[in-house]
């Protein structure tokens, strides 16, 4: 089969690393990068480090409102699909790139294969919820990561198209988690190499809900600054200026602001962290895989499977709430493995093969 895969943002590169490796064993894959994330440390580093094939097309679309971005991507992807005439389109996750590609393909009657289907926060206030719901409903094959996602798709009438394959991010995580941590390349905001402390907390925070103004981010940073070890915080370009300004103004010198790091570094920063504070869907899962306790700063549960035995707790963007959640202990039951076995990409290819007969 000829399959067009569309990626555009960091978490999609990480998923595509596992997906493309497997897909290309049996199919011709045309890789399209929408350009949503474009900085070297948000995009190219993942292609280099994770062996992701060079994109066949790069649309160079980034910035602008959600509507402008999605529309420009949709137009560009439609042209590529008309030219390439693929048998299917494959997309990951819930970004504007995901939705634009799914819409373009569905209108051209090209089957859409959606990896990481069925995640629901239960509110359309979250911009990604709109992307994931609409994408699911125009997809032919829905690959979900967990039993909970499968049930949600069934409740929306999509059960017959759904296949529970495990979390494809787990495939990528295991690949790096089992390798030694060679040549960490962690750079400060000024570009100089960062010397890692003996122990640290790992934090990421970039969601609109926490970074639309100073207040929520400042409350989160105030909590991290009070901890018994430094916090390493690779800052997303979207809120770099805000984070830097707040830390400077408040004298938060227990926080090490860095540039975004590559995936190997992120995995190892996770595995070796005391605890993790994040608003990232992907990082909270990786904390869970690594057995490191996580506090998730958002009003909604993204991965309910992680919210057990204190392993991942919701917190408000409130200093005291975050500190009190961080003070709790977790319990780990090694038999509890809700995200599959780390072979999601193989299972996705098995389903595609059966689907084509
Ligand atoms: N990540 C990374 N470098 C960083 C910060 C995060 O490689 O500097 C990884 C992290 O390990 C996780 C993914 O990026 O796998 C999460 O991406 P992001 O937070 O952009 O998206 P989300 O998870 O919210 O969809």
């Amino acid at each position: 089969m000829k399959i067009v895969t569309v990626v555009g943002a960091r978490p999609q590169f990480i998923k595509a690393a596992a997906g493309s490796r497997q897909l290309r064993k049996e199919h011709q894959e045309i890789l399209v990068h929408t350009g949503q994330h474009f900085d070297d440390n948000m995009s190219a580093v993942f292609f280099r480090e994770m062996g992701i094939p060079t994109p066949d097309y790069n649309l160079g679309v980034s910035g602008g409102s959600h509507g402008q971005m999605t529309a420009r991507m949709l137009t560009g992807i439609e042209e590529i699909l008309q030219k390439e005439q693929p048998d299917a389109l494959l997309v990951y996750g819930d970004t504007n790139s995901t939705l634009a590609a799914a819409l373009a393909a569905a209108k051209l009657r090209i089957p859409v294969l959606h990896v990481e289907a069925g995640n629901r926060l239960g509110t359309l206030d979250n911009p990604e919820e709109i992307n994931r719901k609409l994408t699911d409903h125009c997809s032919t094959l829905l690959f979900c990561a967990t039993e909970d996602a499968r049930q949600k798709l069934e409740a929306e009438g999509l059960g017959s198209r759904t296949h529970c394959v495990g979390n494809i991010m787990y495939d990528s995580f295991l690949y790096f988690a089992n390798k030694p941590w060679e040549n960490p390349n962690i750079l400060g905001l000024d570009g100089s190499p960062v010397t890692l402390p003996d122990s640290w907390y790992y934090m990421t925070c970039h969601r609109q809900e926490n970074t639309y103004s100073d207040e929520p981010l400042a409350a989160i940073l105030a909590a991290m600054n009070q901890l018994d070890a430094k916090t390493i915080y690779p800052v997303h370009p979207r809120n770099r200026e805000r984070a830097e300004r707040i830390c400077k103004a408040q004298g938060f010198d227990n926080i090490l602001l860095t540039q975004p790091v590559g995936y190997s570094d992120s995995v190892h920063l996770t595995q070796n962290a005391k605890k993790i504070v994040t608003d990232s869907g992907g990082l909270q899962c990786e904390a869970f895989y690594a057995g490191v306790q996580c506090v998730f700063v958002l009003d909604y549960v993204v991965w309910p499977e992680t919210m057990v035995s204190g392993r991942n707790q919701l917190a408000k963007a409130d200093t005291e709430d975050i500190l009190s959640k961080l003070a709790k202990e977790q319990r780990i039951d090694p038999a509890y493995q809700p995200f599959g076995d780390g072979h999601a990409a193989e299972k996705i290819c098995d389903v595609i093969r059966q689907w084509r007969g």
Side-chain angles (χ1 to χ4, degrees), residues 1-2 24 27 58 72-73 78 95 150 152-153 190 192 220 227 235 246 255 257 261-262 296 298 303 309 349-350:
M1 281 171 67
K2 186 182 198 179
R24 286 176 187 232
H27 303 288
N58 193 322
R72 284 162 62 213
M73 288 172 180
E78 184 179 59
T95 67
R150 194 189 63 72
K152 288 191 169 127
L153 291 171
D190 63 358
S192 60
I220 298 166
L227 297 173
V235 192
I246 293 170
I255 297 171
L257 297 179
V261 298
F296 180 53
L298 204 70
W303 291 99
S309 315
C349 285
D350 291 346

Side-chain angles (χ1 to χ4, degrees), residues 14-72:
I14 296 167
K15 290 162 202 165
S20 289
R21 201 179 303 126
Q22 193 62 33
L23 208 63
R24 286 176 187 232
K25 290 184 183 166
E26 318 178 29
H27 303 288
Q28 180 194 359
E29 184 186 45
I30 308 287
L31 190 61
V32 179
H33 189 327
T34 61
Q36 189 173 343
H37 284 169
F38 53 86
D39 292 332
D40 186 85
N41 56 24
M42 292 294 291
S43 174
V45 66
F46 296 93
F47 285 79
R48 281 198 303 275
E49 177 183 83
M50 303 185 82
I52 308 168
T54 306
D56 300 280
Y57 297 89
N58 193 322
L59 295 174
V61 176
S62 70
S65 67
H66 279 266
Q68 285 166 344
M69 196 198 282
T70 310
R72 284 162 62 213

Side-chain angles (χ1 to χ4, degrees), residues 10-11 14 46 169 202 206-207 234 260-263 266 280-282 286:
R10 175 168 65 187
I14 296 167
F46 296 93
M169 271 197 115
Y202 185 33
H206 71 273
R207 275 183 195 266
V261 298
Y263 191 60
S266 187
S280 154
E286 289 161 349

Side-chain angles (χ1 to χ4, degrees), residues 188-203:
L189 294 185
D190 63 358
S192 60
V194 166
T195 309
L196 286 171
D198 291 339
S199 68
W200 60 81
Y201 293 84
Y202 185 33
M203 157 177 175

Side-chain angles (χ1 to χ4, degrees), residues 324-352:
S324 78
K325 301 281 163 58
L326 278 170
K328 295 202 173 132
E329 293 299 322
Q330 64 170 348
R331 270 181 301 107
I332 297 181
D333 170 5
Y336 177 64
Q337 297 288 353
F339 291 106
D341 58 6
H343 293 282
E346 282 164 59
K347 291 188 181 127
I348 288 167
C349 285
D350 291 346
V351 173
I352 294 174

